[in-house]
């Protein structure tokens, strides 16, 4: 198990937690994003904008990432190429460990998260969600026009959950390039992340309201809130 933290990379082998500092190669130890390709190569994005790839126990710096100088907020593979969201500089494409030209999308908009579904790339930004496909980029006006913190596909329901900073969470369906809003969860704000568990339930981490748990009902293909973790039932604080 590999764990990326604000203090570097750690590996847990079942008994021991081993540290792999990255400052010697990247100048930073704060891991802000990660992804893995189909060959098992791990890519680590850091707070200072550098990108390090891990092959086995060896680490290599993508040298051209030294020019980013802004937080790597997320990375994903889109049509077999690595796409990188650089917070204040837009979206870059990396092929064969080389940055291709300048930002290919949204050079003047803060970008935070990606989701690739059926070659439709959903991009969460400070202004809402953009959709990119076949060289076409457009803002989805029917979705919240605010900071998007998380976009996650639930593999059980097939729906997509969008977490925002101040307009709650939205559940949508994306089929044939068309967006359909399924449900709005407007009372949950300051969402930082959305995670699916192995039974299809969703866990929602917030900055200030703890953790929300929504159970998946397979028969109805829907979700309902079961409980909320707060300082009153075990959390050390409400900032997740």
């Amino acid at each position: 198990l590999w764990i990326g933290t604000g203090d570097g990379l750690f590996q847990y082998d079942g008994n021991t937690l081993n540290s792999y500092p990255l400052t010697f190669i990247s100048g930073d130890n704060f891991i802000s994003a990660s992804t893995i390709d189909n060959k098992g190569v791990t890519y680590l994005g850091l707070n200072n904008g550098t990108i390090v790839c891990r092959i086995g126990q060896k680490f290599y710096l993508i040298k051209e990432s030294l020019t980013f100088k802004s937080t790597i907020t997320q990375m994903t593979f889109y049509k077999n190429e690595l796409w990188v969201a650089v917070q204040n500089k837009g979206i870059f494409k990396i092929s064969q460990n080389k940055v291709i030209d300048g930002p290919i999308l949204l050079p003047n908009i803060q970008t935070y998260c990606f989701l690739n579904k059926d070659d439709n790339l959903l991009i969460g930004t400070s202004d809402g969600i953009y959709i990119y496909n076949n060289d076409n980029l457009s803002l989805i006006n029917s979705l919240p026009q605010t900071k998007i913190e998380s976009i996650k596909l639930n593999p059980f329901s097939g729906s997509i959950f969008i977490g925002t900073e101040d307009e709650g969470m939205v559940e949508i369906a994306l089929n044939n390039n068309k967006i359909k809003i399924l449900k709005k969860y407007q009372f949950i704000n300051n969402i930082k992340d959305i995670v699916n568990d192995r039974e299809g339930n969703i866990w929602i981490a917030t900055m200030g309201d703890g953790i929300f748990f929504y159970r998946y009902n397979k028969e109805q293909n829907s979700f309902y809130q079961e409980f909320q973790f707060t300082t009153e039932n075990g959390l050390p604080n409400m900032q997740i």
Side-chain angles (χ1 to χ4, degrees):
L1 175 65
W2 292 88
I3 306 167
T5 76
D7 292 316
L9 183 68
F10 294 83
Q11 183 191 36
Y12 181 64
D13 61 9
N15 295 298
T16 307
L17 194 64
N18 300 302
S19 174
Y20 291 82
L22 299 176
T23 49
F24 74 96
I25 188 172
S26 68
D28 194 6
N29 223 18
F30 192 115
I31 298 171
S32 54
S34 64
T35 191
I36 189 168
D37 68 13
N38 56 13
K39 296 180 180 178
V41 177
T42 301
Y43 293 81
L44 305 168
L46 289 103
N47 199 50
N48 68 352
T50 56
I51 299 173
V52 173
C53 62
R54 179 187 67 83
I55 304 175
Q57 302 292 328
K58 295 184 178 180
F59 297 86
Y60 305 89
L61 176 68
I62 296 180
K63 293 182 180 179
E64 292 182 24
S65 67
L66 289 167
T67 63
F68 289 157
K69 301 185 184 303
S70 182
T71 301
I72 306 298
T73 54
Q74 191 164 347
M75 300 183 289
T76 192
F77 280 91
Y78 179 67
K79 297 185 177 179
N80 298 316
E81 293 178 314
L82 180 62
W83 287 44
V84 179
V86 182
Q87 184 170 324
N88 297 316
K89 295 190 175 181
I91 296 172
F92 292 78
K93 184 165 57 174
I94 295 177
S95 180
Q96 297 181 344
N97 289 340
K98 292 186 178 181
V99 179
I100 300 176
D101 300 324
I104 57 173
L105 294 173
L106 304 171
N108 300 312
I109 297 178
Q110 291 191 335
T111 54
Y112 298 100
C113 48
F114 290 131
L115 177 69
N116 181 12
K117 183 177 186 292
D118 302 328
D119 286 337
N120 291 289
L121 190 66
L122 297 178
I123 306 167
T125 75
S126 55
D127 297 334
I129 291 188
Y130 289 79
I131 185 168
Y132 177 81
N133 193 339
N134 295 325
D135 294 327
N136 293 314
L137 177 72
S138 59
L139 180 68
I140 304 175
N141 293 314
S142 60
L143 296 177
Q145 310 289 291
T146 188
K147 183 180 178 182
I148 306 298
E149 296 277 12
S150 182
I151 311 172
K152 293 293 172 63
L153 172 68
N154 186 287
F156 290 79
S157 66
S159 56
I160 296 169
F161 287 86
I162 299 165
T164 76
E165 182 179 58
D166 54 14
E167 292 192 31
M169 182 173 72
V170 182
E171 181 182 2
I172 68 169
L174 172 59
N175 295 298
N176 299 320
N177 301 335
K178 294 183 179 180
I179 299 287
K180 179 182 179 181
I181 296 176
L182 302 176
K183 188 175 181 179
K184 294 183 178 180
Y185 305 76
Q186 293 181 319
F187 63 91
I188 308 176
N189 283 310
N190 292 313
I191 295 171
K192 301 308 292 182
D193 201 5
I194 302 168
V195 177
N196 305 304
D197 66 24
R198 64 181 63 186
E199 296 178 346
N201 309 310
I202 57 173
W203 301 75
I204 305 160
T206 73
M207 183 62 72
D209 290 324
I211 299 172
F212 292 86
F213 174 77
Y214 276 75
R215 187 171 295 281
Y216 175 56
N217 185 314
K218 184 177 180 180
E219 287 71 26
Q220 298 181 5
N221 195 33
S222 62
F223 298 82
Y224 62 92
Q225 183 183 344
E226 187 161 303
F227 53 80
Q228 179 184 3
F229 285 107
T230 68
T231 52
E232 295 181 358
N233 56 14
L235 283 182
N237 63 69
M238 302 284 278
Q239 318 301 319
I240 309 301

